[in-house]
Amino acid sequence: MRIGWLLTVCALLVFLLAAQTPKDDAAPPYKNPKLTPDARVADLLRRMTIEEKVSMLAGSGWMESMPIERLGIPAIKMADGPMGIRSWQGSSSVTNAANAMRVTSTSFPAGLAMAATWDPDLVQQQGKAIGQEVKALGRDMILGPTVNIARQPLWGRNFEGYGEDPYLASRLVVGYIKGVQGEGVIATVKHFAANNQEFERHRIDEKIDERTLQEIYFPAFQAAVQEAGVWSVMSAYNKVNGLYCAESPRLLRDVLKKQWGFKGFVISDWGSTYSTAATVNAGMDLEMPGGEPMKLWFAKPSTQSDGNGAGWLTSANVLAAIQAGHITAAQVNDNAGRILRSMFAAGLFDKPHPGGGAVDTPEQKTLARTAASESIVLLKNERDVLPLLPKSIHSVAVIGPNAAVARTGGGGSSLVRSSYSVTPLDGIRERGGNQVQVSYAQGVSIPGEDASKDSPAARAQMREQAVAAAARADAAIMIVGNAPSIESEGFDRKTLALPEGQDELIQAVVKANKNTIVVINAGSPVAMDPWIDQVPAVLMMWYGGQEGGHAIASVLFGDFTPSGKLPMTFPRRIEDTPAFGHYPGENLRTEYAEGIYVGYRHYDRGNIAPLFPFGHGLSYTKFDYSDLKVTPDKVASGRRVQVSLTVRNSGSRTGAEVVQLYVHDLKSTADRPPQELKGFRRVLLDPGQSQSVTFTLDPRAMSFYSTAKHAWVAEPGGFEVFAGASSRDIRLKANFELTK
Ligand code: BGC
């Protein structure tokens, strides 16, 4: 009886175990895609040892997080962006070398060019295409977008970001992230916060007041977190108010995680950590790079003399800090849990990216071309010199150091290798076909690119050849600008001026041909004073990616009506710029003394005439604005108002206008800028067509950040709204009142 009972129990146990064990092994709850990321994280953390959790806090290599085989936790495989996908085999000095592992992907226009489209839907399509290419290449995460504000025009990375205005940058970053993450790829908004100069980027301490941070330098990050639900945020190299961003509890823990409710993980910039406990406790979740590649890189004297810090969150260091009581187990749960949460949210456990997919597909190429075309800004067009066709232009001379080479992007970690790229000269030749004869002269070279061309005698000779070509042609198209050797991550530009020899070349050519068009192929504003009054037409083509050459040809010849608008004020002189006198700082400190008066806010307040204002961009057609209405015109605090107007294409070509809406608070206890961008819409209209455009102004659009209340405050009183084609081309005004 007893034995029988025992046997029954044993049989039952064996049955239960047999029934349960395989099921448990096959599908522990964290592997169940039907559960929420939070539930999966909670389950997985319970199964992990403290050593395993800690190991996740540092990378396993140059661009991979730490995998844990026992639990089937994959590494997150990263790649640089934001304008496409870069090789992940080392720092940009390695991957830019001629013998680097070749990874080709679509090279889209750089960030500032994308910002010049003022087209969040297009940026979202770009993000989607980039997400698809990340997957196709077997990676999981893109290190972009860059949203640092263009505080001053010499910043070497201006070309990567979305310009000077926090509202414009916010709308675009949301598009980019939604596009990327919709594909199950982790986006990384960077560099938090206020990475606004390359000069001493590893050591500079920036003094920035709270209101300025909240109103100018934070909004794009806040939108990335709260509106786009970004899964990763990269901290910046620099210090803000005395602390390295990577170990700033104020930035990472209080603002990002508590105030904004960020649920993803913070990743360090490559070599931006300087402590163990302080960094982990501030809210840094993942230190990069890690493992052997980090050690080899950090052992190089130049890595350290540049000011990089690395190797602080290795398992040995973090475990020692836990043992010493400087880091709690709960903290490590939070760090590892955040990384895992983003991995679950992105689907990395459920749908890994094996690679081997198609990149640079016909659709992606078309998108790159559309984006490059939309980004081009017509700065000046006297005598309607442009478009060249259908006028009687039978020959053009294409001149300049950027004509026969495709300068697709600026230098550093964002520069993408594309499988092909179209030079402006090729684009113009292709479009000109049999209709327009095209000649070419380099005119001047970028200093340092070919020493034999840098002497005064060589320059004089090249200039003469260019002048002769211009004199023989019906029009001269000059493609001038910068190059990655002049405009790059890692250093700032020394001057606003075009590289040596270009101003003289432009002056000489325009004397020989009055139909001279200057095309600027650069990533930030350049000085034009030496020649702007003599040259009838100027186009800004930025760094337009692989299709830049096709795009500029289509604008020059009139196939595409330009619609780009400046996302950055173009100053006349460096002395006029907001941070002048407070950049690059002294003794490794710089004070953001201009406060919220960045970009047009500064020019408007000081009544300074820029060379070209924020929002400026001409068209080949004309747009009329009418019927501006604000409803209601009296509204209680906390409510919204609707602003509507009609825009009409009164010219003879199809084209797009970017309608801009600025707001001015008439009565405030705080100092408020004369106007701030709070709405914009790109509308494509056929000749004679009109469209009504409606904007919603929410309380935030009327608010300033109150340092007394540590909150956004909209004060009762009168407000003005301005609608126009640029910040200095206001066509309509209206008022409304905010009541208590
Ligand atoms: C840059 C980052 C980049 C990282 C990895 C850093 O030097 O500042 O933007 O993502 O390198 O290449």
Side-chain angles (χ1 to χ4, degrees), residues 18 124 227 233 283-284 286 302 314 325 337 419 422 437 445 450 452 456 475 482 490 612 621 628 719:
Q124 183 157 346
E227 292 180 57
V233 174
M284 174 59 63
L286 174 54
S302 63
T314 57
S419 59
V422 183
Q437 195 199 329
S445 78
D450 179 348
S452 73
N482 292 329
F612 296 108
T621 188
L628 182 65
F719 286 81

Side-chain angles (χ1 to χ4, degrees), residues 147-149 162 164-174 177 189 192-194 210-228 255-256 259-260 596 601 676-678 700 703 705 712:
V147 296
N148 296 113
I149 292 292
Y162 290 142
E164 72 189 24
D165 182 72
Y167 180 79
L168 177 60
S170 301
R171 295 307 92 218
L172 301 174
V173 72
V174 170
I177 293 167
V189 64
F192 189 60
E210 187 189 358
R211 179 176 174 199
T212 299
L213 282 170
Q214 291 281 355
E215 291 193 16
I216 304 293
Y217 298 103
F218 284 172
F221 291 98
Q222 187 176 5
V225 169
Q226 295 184 327
E227 292 180 57
V255 173
L256 185 62
Q259 234 182 63
W260 300 344
I596 60 168
R601 290 163 170 80
E676 294 182 282
L677 183 75
K678 296 297 172 186
R700 172 82 178 246
S703 301
Y705 189 85
W712 289 87

